[in-house]
């Protein structure tokens, strides 16, 4: 109830309304306060005189005029009324609720002695600043808000009433119940003594004190009277005027052309409308309360996050300081090593020079003593040797011996400018406000399809989605209902997946992502890869033909530039390849096989100088700069102009006569049902079955050099030699 108190206070005096009146703008004022803020308008300035003189002035014109005259100096706190003789210049004040008002120069007289309002008086609403000109009735022309008076009376009674027992003789105790029939609050002892639960009082209804206080506040509805006919009660409601009217008002014809309805019916209708409006406002108030709880929780969370962030910042700065101290110790260690090295070099040079100087001094003293001798023959016997020694010693001192081997300066300069710049640039990175998670993408079924062992999928964002998407993730299962795996991550909305199993069923789904997170998955799409048979069936028993059909899948593919060696040259839509190197280089097909029966051919377009091209299958990670079959990742047949060999892991087997020339055709038949690899030349099988027990994923492969050019042919039927062998019992 305390929140309602501001609604019950006058915007002028700041106190509870006393005799409130309703202005045409639907705001309320105390009758005394309304009288206090009246302003007299000169005859020449009144709207009535303007209309009488023929001036076409709208209500908004004089309303704006009044606003300008009354509030043009509102910012300074003072209002001047030049030309208004009855309105002296008066300081402007503020009411307790913050609305500017213009108080009178003297306190108002009692209502009973109040003089009639001046002629052409003007009243400005202190809340909406709308100016209103009073008619001859003055303030009596505004209806009295008796409903507001009743609400104020109940509010004041409820606030002043103490929930104390009304029958205690000395100090009243706290009330425990209230009897609705007796209208008395009882404490427990007084209830047992004065209101026993037996006899006639047993039928009385006892309620909690708070509920009893609410029921006590409710008073009988007061009958409001007409402002024009004070002896008449309101009985009808004018829809156009939006005000209650009495019977006499209708008799006088004031509302003859207006729609008039029964007061009780309109009362119930407006109560219902107000209740409905309150329901919506109640929902907003509930949301506001929840929002306030959220804000208070945010305050607590901000405080906790601040403490945590400060601790993290201190830890990060301490880590930087520790790293700097460790680097400081390392640099000091290098300085100490340089210091020790310089000292060692200088000390070694000192020691060396000291020894040399001692030897030189000894030689000099010895030579002086020899010179002192007077024996010519003896002197001449040793003089040549001494002269050579003196010259040799002198030469030894002249070869940089007297130059310091080490400088006193340290040739180390600490480059700390980048670190200082980084420290000055050390700052927080402002995190962007998180956007919502994207909505699940929609698979466009009309654009999704399969071709051979490839699947093309297309998707889009929901039409009404405005969330930014940074990319998509496409996932497929393994074709056997196993786990999904990512096959594409990027911004495109269409993707073709190659290298799937033939005659297999795959499930596909896609999801979107941005910096905030990942969307839910789209609906799952089921795809079926191709299956079929395209070979001659003449002479083949039906039962065996059915088995072969189950194994055969016709595939169209080309060479793959992405996985080929850089020396490979492509043409004819990547179906024809050669090489610009004399060394063997490997190129793979775009499609890999792990199931079924597959056959393709390679025609020899150019064959010079009898090279040894190799044909077969390989893993995706086979060596690309060596002949096919040199490592354990390839199974191949290499062939020249006279004979061929099978090779795997650099092991050569099954030499077979018969080679290739320009125009020849080499066939490769991979049967992963029987796990075998067979070769043919010019549609005749070349040697026995080349390799057995093959298992895994295999790519068509060729190795060649610049002397060979071949063209790939796919989507071919299985050769007759293999179908005939399959038909044999």
């Amino acid at each position: 109830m305390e929140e309602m108190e501001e609604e019950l206070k006058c915007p002028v005096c700041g106190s509870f309304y006393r005799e409130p009146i309703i202005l045409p703008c639907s705001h309320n004022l105390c009758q005394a306060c309304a009288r206090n803020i009246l302003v007299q308008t000169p005859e020449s300035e009144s709207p009535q005189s303007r209309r009488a003189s023929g001036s076409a002035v709208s209500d908004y014109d004089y309303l704006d005029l009044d606003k300008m005259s009354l509030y043009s100096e509102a910012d300074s706190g003072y209002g001047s009324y030049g030309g208004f003789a009855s309105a002296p210049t008066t300081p402007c004040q503020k009411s307790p609720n913050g609305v500017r008002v213009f108080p009178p120069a003297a306190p108002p007289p009692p209502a009973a002695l109040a003089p009639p309002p001046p002629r052409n008086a003007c009243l400005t609403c202190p809340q909406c600043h709308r100016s209103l000109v009073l008619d001859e009735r003055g303030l009596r022309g505004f209806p009295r808000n008796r409903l507001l008076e009743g609400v104020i009376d109940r509010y004041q009674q409820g606030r002043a009433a103490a929930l104390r027992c009304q029958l205690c003789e000395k100090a009243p105790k706290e009330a425990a119940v209230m009897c609705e029939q007796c209208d008395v609050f009882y404490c427990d002892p007084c209830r047992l003594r004065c209101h026993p639960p037996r006899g006639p009082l047993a039928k009385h209804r006892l309620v909690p004190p708070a509920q009893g206080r609410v029921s006590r506040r409710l008073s009988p509805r007061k009958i409001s009277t007409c402002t024009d006919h004070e002896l008449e009660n309101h009985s009808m409601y004018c829809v156009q005027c939006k005000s209650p009217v009495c019977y006499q008002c209708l008799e006088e014809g004031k509302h003859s052309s207006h729609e008039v309805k029964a007061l009780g019916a309109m009362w119930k209708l407006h109560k219902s409308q107000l209740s409905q409006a309150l329901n919506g406002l109640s929902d907003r108030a509930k949301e506001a309360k929840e929002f306030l709880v959220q804000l208070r929780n945010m305050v607590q969370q901000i405080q906790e996050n601040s403490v945590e962030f400060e601790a993290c910042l201190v830890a990060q700065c301490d880590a930087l300081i520790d790293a700097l101290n460790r680097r400081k110790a390392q640099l000091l260690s290098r300085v100490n090593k340089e210091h020790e090295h310089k000292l060692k070099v200088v000390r070694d040079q000192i020691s060396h020079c000291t020894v040399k100087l001692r030897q030189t001094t000894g030689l000099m003293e010895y030579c002086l003593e020899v010179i002192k001798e007077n024996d010519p023959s003896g002197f001449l016997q040793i003089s040549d040797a001494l002269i050579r020694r003196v010259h040799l010693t002198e030469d030894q001192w002249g070869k940089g011996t007297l130059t310091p081997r080490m400088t006193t300066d340290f040739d180390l300069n600490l480059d700390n400018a980048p670190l200082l710049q980084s420290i000055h640039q050390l700052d927080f990175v402002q995190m962007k406000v998180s956007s919502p998670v994207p909505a699940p993408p929609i698979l466009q079924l009309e654009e999704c399809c399969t071709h051979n062992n490839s699947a093309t999928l297309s998707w889009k964002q929901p039409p009404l989605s405005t969330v930014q998407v940074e990319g998509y993730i496409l996932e497929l299962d393994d074709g056997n209902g196993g786990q999904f795996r990512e096959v594409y991550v990027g911004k495109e909305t269409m993707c073709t997946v190659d290298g799937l199993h033939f005659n297999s069923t795959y499930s596909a789904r896609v999801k979107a992502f941005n910096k905030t997170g990942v969307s839910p998955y789209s609906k799952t799409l089921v795809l079926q890869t191709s299956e079929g048979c395209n070979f001659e069936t003449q002479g083949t028993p039906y039962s065996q033909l059915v088995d072969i059909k189950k194994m055969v899948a016709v595939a169209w593919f080309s060479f793959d530039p992405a996985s080929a060696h850089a020396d490979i040259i492509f043409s004819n839509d990547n179906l024809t390849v050669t090489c610009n190197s004399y060394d063997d280089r490997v190129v793979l097909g775009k499609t890999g096989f792990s199931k079924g029966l597959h056959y393709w051919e390679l025609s020899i377009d150019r064959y010079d100088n009898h090279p040894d091209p190799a044909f077969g299958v390989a893993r995706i990670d086979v060596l690309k700069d060596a002949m096919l079959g040199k490592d354990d990742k390839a199974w191949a047949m290499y062939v020249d102009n006279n004979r061929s060999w099978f090779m795997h892991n650099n092991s050569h087997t099954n030499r077979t006569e018969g080679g290739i020339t320009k125009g020849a055709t080499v066939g490769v038949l991979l049967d992963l049902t029987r796990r075998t690899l067979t070769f043919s030349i010019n549609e005749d099988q070349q040697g026995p079955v080349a390799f057995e027990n093959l298992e895994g994923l295999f790519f068509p492969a060729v190795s060649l050099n610049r002397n060979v050019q071949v063209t790939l042919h796919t989507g071919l039927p299985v050769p007759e030699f293999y179908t005939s062998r399959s038909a044999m019992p």
Side-chain angles (χ1 to χ4, degrees):
M1 295 290 286
E2 289 77 8
E3 292 84 353
M4 185 180 65
E5 187 168 317
E6 289 299 322
E7 294 285 337
L8 308 180
K9 290 185 177 180
C10 174
V12 176
C13 63
S15 302
F16 287 106
Y17 286 105
R18 295 184 297 273
E19 299 181 355
I21 58 175
I22 306 175
L23 302 181
C25 59
S26 300
H27 293 123
N28 298 286
L29 281 178
C30 296
Q31 191 170 23
C33 295
R35 187 177 295 107
N36 292 342
I37 63 175
L38 282 175
V39 176
Q40 184 177 3
T41 304
E43 182 69 23
S44 61
E45 300 294 332
S46 66
Q48 289 88 343
S49 63
R50 280 177 158 181
R51 293 190 181 95
S53 64
S55 300
V57 181
S58 67
D59 291 341
Y60 294 102
D61 292 336
Y62 69 79
L63 290 181
D64 293 340
L65 175 63
D66 290 334
K67 290 181 185 178
M68 291 294 292
S69 63
L70 290 175
Y71 293 97
S72 61
E73 300 182 14
D75 291 339
S76 63
Y78 292 90
S80 61
Y81 304 91
F84 283 22
S86 62
T89 302
T90 309
C92 179
Q93 295 180 350
K94 272 192 175 182
S95 69
N97 60 0
V99 180
R100 290 188 184 276
V101 297
F102 297 87
L113 303 177
R119 189 177 182 184
N120 297 328
C122 179
L123 176 66
T124 300
C125 175
Q127 290 183 290
C128 65
H129 305 321
R130 179 179 177 183
S131 295
L132 308 164
V133 178
L134 278 64
D135 57 15
E136 64 277 0
R137 296 176 298 173
L139 294 178
R140 292 184 299 103
F142 298 130
R144 182 99 167 255
N145 195 340
R146 299 185 183 278
L147 187 66
L148 180 57
E149 286 183 284
V151 174
I152 293 174
D153 290 341
R154 290 199 304 272
Y155 179 78
Q156 291 178 328
Q157 290 175 8
R159 192 175 61 170
L163 301 180
R164 299 287 179 177
C165 179
Q166 296 176 274
L167 298 181
C168 291
E169 296 180 357
K170 296 182 179 180
K173 298 180 181 179
E174 184 178 354
V177 294
M178 183 247 185
C179 177
E180 290 186 338
Q181 285 72 23
C182 300
D183 195 19
V184 175
F185 288 96
Y186 297 94
C187 64
D188 287 333
C190 292
R191 178 180 60 82
L192 294 176
R193 185 178 70 254
C194 304
H195 201 289
R198 59 183 180 274
L201 300 178
K203 297 182 180 180
H204 287 197
R205 185 168 179 260
L206 302 179
V207 296
Q211 182 178 346
R213 182 172 67 177
V214 173
S215 62
R216 174 178 280 190
R217 291 179 200 162
L218 301 177
S219 58
R221 178 163 58 96
K222 296 180 181 179
I223 304 299
S224 61
T225 58
C226 180
T227 56
D228 296 332
H229 311 94
E230 296 182 354
L231 299 179
E232 296 290 337
N233 296 331
H234 289 136
S235 59
M236 304 296 288
Y237 181 83
C238 179
V239 178
Q240 277 75 7
C241 299
K242 296 184 178 180
S243 64
V245 296
C246 67
Y247 177 76
Q248 191 169 349
C249 292
L250 299 178
E251 288 291 332
E252 293 175 355
K254 293 182 179 179
H255 305 273
S256 59
S257 61
H258 295 177
E259 182 181 2
V260 179
K261 294 188 177 181
L263 185 66
M266 293 303 296
W267 177 42
K268 293 181 180 178
L269 176 62
H270 282 213
K271 271 194 171 184
S272 175
Q273 293 176 352
L274 180 59
S275 298
Q276 293 177 1
L278 282 176
N279 289 335
L281 185 59
S282 175
D283 294 338
R284 301 289 84 78
K286 183 179 179 181
E287 293 177 1
K289 290 181 180 178
E290 295 175 352
F291 181 64
L292 285 174
V293 172
Q294 180 183 356
L295 291 179
R296 293 189 181 98
N297 293 337
M298 286 180 62
V299 171
Q300 180 66 24
Q301 189 64 38
I302 288 173
Q303 293 175 347
E304 295 176 358
N305 290 346
S306 175
V307 174
E308 181 180 354
F309 186 77
E310 288 178 5
C312 180
L313 178 62
V314 171
Q316 289 176 324
C317 292
D318 290 343
L320 292 176
I321 294 172
D322 291 342
L324 186 60
N325 287 332
R326 289 194 298 269
R327 189 58 180 167
K328 173 185 174 182
Q330 295 173 358
L331 295 175
L332 287 176
S333 176
R334 288 181 57 186
V335 172
N336 291 333
K337 290 181 180 178
E338 183 70 13
H339 168 251
E340 293 174 358
H341 173 67
K342 285 179 176 291
L343 289 179
K344 183 177 183 301
V345 171
V346 172
R347 286 170 180 167
D348 289 346
Q349 192 173 14
I350 291 173
S351 176
H352 176 73
C353 288
T354 301
V355 173
K356 190 67 177 176
L357 180 60
R358 186 171 60 249
Q359 293 174 352
T360 301
T361 303
L363 178 61
M364 291 172 58
E365 292 177 353
Y366 174 67
C367 289
L368 290 175
E369 293 298 326
V370 170
I371 291 174
K372 292 178 182 180
E373 292 294 329
N374 296 324
D375 184 3
S377 59
F379 178 81
L380 292 175
Q381 287 179 345
I382 62 174
S383 61
D384 290 337
L386 288 176
I387 292 172
R388 286 196 300 271
R389 286 185 60 189
V390 169
H391 286 304
L392 179 61
T393 303
E394 183 182 3
D395 291 341
Q396 290 177 350
W397 282 108
K399 295 180 179 179
T401 307
L402 300 179
T403 302
R405 298 177 185 174
M406 186 63 64
T407 62
T408 57
D409 297 331
F410 282 80
D411 299 329
L412 298 174
N413 185 19
L414 182 62
D415 184 14
N416 61 349
L419 180 59
L420 288 176
Q421 183 179 3
S422 299
I423 292 175
H424 292 151
Q425 294 176 350
L426 189 63
D427 201 353
F428 299 106
V429 178
Q430 182 66 38
M431 301 300 291
K432 294 183 178 179
V433 178
S434 297
S435 59
V437 174
I442 299 175
L443 287 168
Q444 302 189 85
L445 302 182
E446 64 277 5
E447 297 185 14
C448 297
C449 62
T450 59
H451 180 72
N452 295 331
N453 63 334
S454 299
T456 299
L457 296 107
S458 177
W459 57 87
K460 64 179 181 179
Q461 277 296 103
L464 300 180
S465 176
T466 58
V467 180
Q468 183 179 5
V469 175
E470 296 187 0
Y472 301 92
I473 301 174
L474 176 64
E475 296 183 357
L476 264 71
D477 65 0
D478 59 359
N480 291 319
Q483 293 184 348
F484 283 88
R485 67 186 189 280
E486 294 182 3
V487 296
Y488 171 76
V489 178
K491 296 182 179 180
E492 301 297 329
T493 57
M494 179 176 287
C495 177
T496 298
V497 184
D498 298 319
L500 302 178
H501 300 316
F502 283 91
N503 193 23
S504 299
T505 301
Y506 288 88
S507 296
R509 63 188 185 185
V510 65
K511 57 184 178 181
F513 65 87
N514 58 15
K515 291 182 179 179
T516 303
V518 182
S519 75
Y521 285 104
S522 66
K523 292 183 179 180
T524 302
L525 178 65
V526 178
L527 300 165
Q528 175 72 39
T529 53
S530 300
E531 62 175 340
C533 177
N534 190 11
F535 60 92
E536 298 294 334
T537 59
Q538 185 176 4
T540 303
Y542 177 76
S543 59
Q544 296 179 12
L545 178 62
V546 172
D547 292 337
I548 294 176
K549 280 187 177 182
K550 290 182 180 179
M551 296 186 294
V552 175
V554 179
W556 289 264
F557 59 90
S558 60
F559 289 116
D560 184 16
S563 62
H565 193 277
D567 293 338
I568 297 294
I569 301 174
F570 294 85
S571 60
N572 188 23
D573 292 331
N574 298 334
L575 293 175
T576 301
V577 292
T578 184
C579 182
N580 59 12
S581 172
Y582 286 105
D583 297 323
D584 290 304
R585 300 292 186 247
V586 173
V587 58
L588 302 179
K590 274 191 174 181
T591 301
F593 305 106
S594 61
K595 294 180 180 179
L597 176 62
H598 310 280
Y599 177 72
W600 61 94
E601 291 180 348
L602 298 113
S603 60
I604 311 300
D605 302 332
R606 179 165 51 81
Y607 186 79
D608 302 327
N609 302 322
H610 310 299
D612 300 323
F615 310 90
V617 296
R619 307 290 191 191
I620 190 66
D621 55 346
V622 66
L623 291 176
K624 304 297 194 309
D625 55 357
M627 178 184 286
L628 196 67
K630 286 288 187 179
D631 61 358
D632 62 347
K633 303 295 177 62
W635 294 257
M637 176 187 74
Y638 71 94
V639 56
D640 59 15
N641 61 323
N642 292 319
R643 60 192 68 83
S644 65
W645 293 263
F646 302 146
M647 184 167 63
H648 170 67
N649 200 15
N650 205 24
S651 174
H652 307 254
T653 59
N654 297 97
R655 171 179 169 176
T656 305
E657 296 298 325
I660 59 174
T661 59
K662 179 180 178 181
T665 299
V666 176
V668 182
L669 196 152
L670 178 63
D671 187 348
L672 291 173
T673 303
R674 298 178 178 176
R675 301 194 299 172
T676 60
L677 180 64
T678 307
F679 296 96
S680 64
I681 296 180
N682 297 328
E683 299 184 357
D684 293 328
Q685 182 172 342
Q686 183 74 0
V689 174
F691 301 100
E692 297 179 336
N693 300 321
L694 299 178
E695 188 173 0
L697 181 63
F698 300 93
F699 290 84
V702 175
S703 68
L704 43 74
N705 61 17
R706 65 182 304 166
N707 293 317
V708 182
Q709 177 175 304
V710 300
T711 296
L712 176 65
H713 305 275
T714 61
L716 302 175
V718 175
E720 291 185 0
F721 72 83
Y722 198 77
T723 56
S724 301
R725 189 177 66 185
S726 300
M728 293 176 60

